[in-house]
Amino acid sequence: MTDLKQSYSVRLNDGHFMPVLGFGTYAPDHLWATFLRPELVRPALESSLKKLGLDYVDLFIIHVPFAMKAGEELLPKNASGEIILETVDLCDTWEALEKCKDAGLTKSIGVSNFNHKLLELILNKPGLKYKPTCNQVECHPYLNQSKLLEFCKSKDIVLVAYSALGSQRDPQWVDPDSPYLLEEPVLKSIAKKHSCSPGQVALRYQLQRGVVVLAKSFSQKRIKENFQIFDFELTPEDMKAIDGLNRNLRYDKLQFAANHPYFPFSEEY
């Protein structure tokens, strides 16, 4: 058995710790695309803290690497119904996050949906004070992000997987014809061998690769099942078989941003 049973958290590059499965009482916050202008970053975080009744969050991350028109509207649109995008220098946004950390408003800072080129943009920023502690991306057996995972490990950045069990299949974001991950025969076969569910296999796969997993659930039964993934271990043969499922398939697509210079979703790495 690996040391996952003994350790339910991972040490970040700033010395703080993050749970390896779900967030539990760990309090993260996301900086949405309409608040990427540097002057809007701290006010956005302070507003969130006020709503949450907290003095600080454990983690503050840039949610997507492209900006939308600044304002309170979640998805600002023009008269034609198209999302209004704008260009913001991510290095300036990152510097604003660094200042939030220095001010004690967040313990750690990170990013989400960044490919390796965008990570390098931040890592090579002149005067960089803090590296991103994590990069939260869509990651599951059909999109295993192996190259990005290798890059993140080389830079001491934790890869955090969302949609680790596939997607909730919201038609606004997900192609209704996309395959159901948990119906995958390989996952079912491995699950039967270990007397567990395909979902537990998919989660355990990520943990053994060194990936932190976001596994949201409001079901007490499902939450209990999620934590039972610490009670078994996939064999090297199991891991290889699951690696073989990769097809660079994204469930979550933001096609309206495809022409933005920072749009990263068209490539796995």
Side-chain angles (χ1 to χ4, degrees):
M1 180 65 67
T2 69
D3 61 356
L4 287 176
K5 184 69 175 180
Q6 285 73 40
S7 177
Y8 295 105
S9 62
V10 60
R11 186 183 182 93
L12 302 175
N13 61 38
D14 64 358
H16 294 296
F17 289 84
M18 173 188 288
V20 297
L21 178 64
F23 277 152
T25 57
Y26 187 86
D29 193 22
H30 291 224
L31 180 68
W32 181 237
T34 53
F35 299 98
L36 294 195
R37 292 182 185 175
E39 67 272 16
L40 300 179
V41 172
R42 179 166 178 164
L45 177 54
E46 290 177 332
S47 176
S48 291
L49 290 173
K50 185 176 181 179
K51 292 176 183 177
L52 294 168
L54 299 173
D55 295 324
Y56 66 89
V57 289
D58 291 302
L59 174 67
F60 190 39
I61 68 175
I62 299 174
H63 189 70
V64 288
F66 55 85
M68 297 180 192
K69 180 183 177 182
E72 296 294 333
E73 192 174 358
L74 184 65
L75 294 174
K77 298 179 181 180
N78 60 24
S80 302
E82 300 171 327
I83 299 293
I84 304 174
L85 301 175
E86 61 180 35
T87 300
V88 173
D89 190 329
L90 289 176
C91 289
D92 292 339
T93 305
W94 184 254
E95 189 170 326
L97 264 73
E98 291 179 322
K99 292 178 180 178
C100 288
K101 177 176 170 64
D102 283 337
L105 300 177
T106 180
K107 286 185 176 181
S108 303
I109 52 178
V111 297
S112 181
N113 297 306
F114 276 46
N115 60 19
H116 83 286
K117 292 179 181 178
L118 293 175
L119 287 172
E120 287 182 327
L121 180 70
I122 301 299
L123 293 172
N124 294 328
K125 184 186 85 69
L128 179 70
K129 190 168 186 180
Y130 305 113
K131 295 197 304 183
T133 58
C134 64
N135 183 22
Q136 182 177 314
V137 297
E138 178 179 346
C139 186
H140 45 74
Y142 287 159
L143 180 69
N144 67 24
Q145 301 277 18
S146 59
K147 292 181 180 179
L148 183 59
L149 174 59
E150 182 180 353
F151 177 82
C152 286
K153 285 183 176 180
S154 74
K155 303 297 182 181
D156 197 18
I157 297 172
V158 172
L159 193 74
V160 180
Y162 68 76
S163 296
L165 299 178
S167 172
Q168 295 181 350
R169 309 185 75 82
D170 184 335
Q172 184 177 1
W173 311 107
V174 179
D175 183 346
D177 295 326
S178 58
Y180 285 82
L181 177 65
L182 299 186
E183 294 298 320
E184 168 57 48
V186 171
L187 295 183
K188 285 186 170 183
S189 176
I190 294 173
K192 184 177 180 180
K193 181 174 69 172
H194 292 282
S195 299
C196 62
S197 70
Q200 288 172 315
V201 170
L203 295 180
R204 178 70 200 191
Y205 167 71
Q206 298 291 11
L207 264 60
Q208 287 187 209
R209 304 169 72 219
V211 175
V212 167
V213 183
L214 295 181
K216 296 180 181 179
S217 179
F218 297 101
S219 164
Q220 188 172 1
K221 177 176 180 291
R222 181 63 60 82
I223 293 172
K224 182 179 179 180
E225 287 180 353
N226 287 347
F227 276 92
Q228 288 173 343
I229 67 172
F230 294 99
D231 298 333
F232 71 97
E233 184 172 10
L234 299 175
T235 67
E237 292 75 22
D238 294 335
M239 295 294 290
K240 184 176 181 180
I242 300 173
D243 282 339
L245 296 176
N246 184 62
R247 57 180 80 174
N248 292 338
L249 183 149
R250 292 186 181 277
Y251 285 104
D252 301 306
K253 298 179 179 180
L254 298 178
Q255 295 299 342
F256 59 79
N259 294 321
H260 194 281
Y262 285 158
F263 183 73
F265 297 92
S266 62
E267 58 180 80
E268 185 245 355
Y269 177 44

